[in-house]
Amino acid sequence: MSSLATITAEELAALIAERDALAGALRMATTERDLALERLRALQRQLFAAKSEARGTDQKDLFLNEAEALAPTAQTRPAEIDDEDSTLVSGHQRKKRGRKPLDPALPRDIVRHELPESERVCAHDGHALVEIGAEVSEQMHVIPEQVRVLQHHRIKYACPCCDLSLKVAPTPARIIPRGLLTEEAQAWVITGKYQFGMPLYRTAALLRRFGGDIVSNTLASGVVRIGLAVQPVINLLRDHLLDSDLIYGDETTVQVLKEPGRKAQTKSYMWAQMNGTGPPVRLFAYAPGRGAVHAQKLYAGIRRGATLVTDGYQVYDGIAQDQGLTHLGCWVHARRPLIKAEEAIPKAARSPGQLATRIIKLIGKLYRAEALATGWAPQRRMRLRQRYSAAVVKQIEQLLLAHLHAVAPSSLLGEALHYLHNQWPKLIRFLNNGTWPLDSNPVENAIRPFVVGRRSWLFADTVGGANASANLYSLIETAKANNVEPYRYLLALFKKLPLAQTADDYEALLPWNIALPSS
């Protein structure tokens, strides 16, 4: 008969300690595994899933169910509907089907289709048919680019009686003296690259199709020279921007191959700024880095007391503090890491009760309220924010504080909560003013054409090229923001800029002041 093994109290304590250590190590390994799987799912989604941040339509009801007091009243005017483009159907207004008519402002060339003389006879009594009208249909006709050469003849004059008087007609002032391309051609090349994202080598290939045999290096040289020549206009735009009450800021990467003292693979940055008051201004500026020294140069001279709207990049905190600005945060940037955390959860484990989902839905209520207040006076929007949005913000804050330290800080949800917590004072400032926005989406939309174009031209060759690109993007995006067609604006600017001498002359060249040539 075997005897039971006995251990001492010290051995038992050692075994218990070893068990607890192994259990702790297992918990740590399990946590690390879960975090690694979470990040793997997030990376897979970033690579392969749709990039849209749009949420489901069920968010709309969340706002309406809790805000009956905000429903339209008998005094609220219904939305206006164009009767010509719609048909009244029981219960709603149905838009007419069919393709959109061509722009009536386009020039029309009439092509007549007539019956042969032999067929213009009545089949019943033999009388000649007379014209009573026409059935009209329209097609869009496109004339491909035409390349022509403008040959300038500067006429020379001399006295027929002596050899002492000789005069030659002066050379017209041009934005690029002795340049190979006309102002019309330069405007076409620049809008092709900076408005439509077409690299210069493709523009050169397109020109060759129509007989314009110009290498891309020649085009690039002209673009850089013009980009530097428009600097006085850029300076005026910056003055207007820095004098605005509301300014947005953002930045994105750009690669410059030939920058002194730096490798070609080094990241450089394109900083974007835009205003929210006054004539619209969109400005881009190249900088070799993203540090505070570059931001200080861009925001030097900003009006004290203005409002700055940015994402959570810390450099902007210093700018706001040094310049005495009211700094607003961005709810879109606060929501993105929450969406990332939500999407990293396996679909089978997702539920409406997930913390990330609950906060996302509450943020959706804020935006639903802002959508309802579109077009309202600031005072009325302010009342809405005080009555409704402030309560929603309070719910978000309660969830944040209740779970901030209960979630692993290194998890996606933990990172999202800590970002939200760090940005909280800036995020809730919109409640104090009916004109302040919830996010920095406008400047992200303004910077998007640069990001889209970067996919095509990939990099800037030199620092001068990067600065020229920043200036030309600024002109085109500012023109678009002022509802001015960029090609027409650039054409007028290139022709009038060489003639400008005074401050008033340059002020007249800004997109909202310039007199455009008739199209």
Side-chain angles (χ1 to χ4, degrees), residues 245-264:
D245 295 327
L246 178 65
I247 297 178
Y248 298 81
D250 199 5
E251 70 289 326
T252 188
T253 58
V254 65
Q255 186 178 3
V256 179
L257 298 183
K258 300 173 184 176
E259 191 165 8
R262 306 183 77 197
K263 294 182 179 179

Side-chain angles (χ1 to χ4, degrees), residues 193 196-197 199 448-458 473:
K193 176 173 182 178
F196 301 110
R448 184 169 291 115
F450 172 84
V451 176
V452 172
R454 185 181 57 194
R455 296 175 184 173
S456 298
W457 46 258
L458 301 178
Y473 268 116

Side-chain angles (χ1 to χ4, degrees), residues 326-329 424-433 436:
T326 300
H327 194 187
L328 304 184
W424 191 254
K426 293 180 290 185
L427 290 173
I428 63 175
R429 287 194 181 119
F430 80 98
L431 296 172
N432 301 326
N433 191 307
W436 288 347

Side-chain angles (χ1 to χ4, degrees), residues 39 113 132 170 176 187 200 254 267 337 363 369 372 381 396 424 494 508:
R39 296 194 177 276
H113 302 277
I132 60 171
I176 300 182
L200 294 180
V254 65
K267 279 186 181 180
I363 295 175
L372 181 69
R381 186 183 298 109
I396 298 175
W424 191 254
F494 295 168

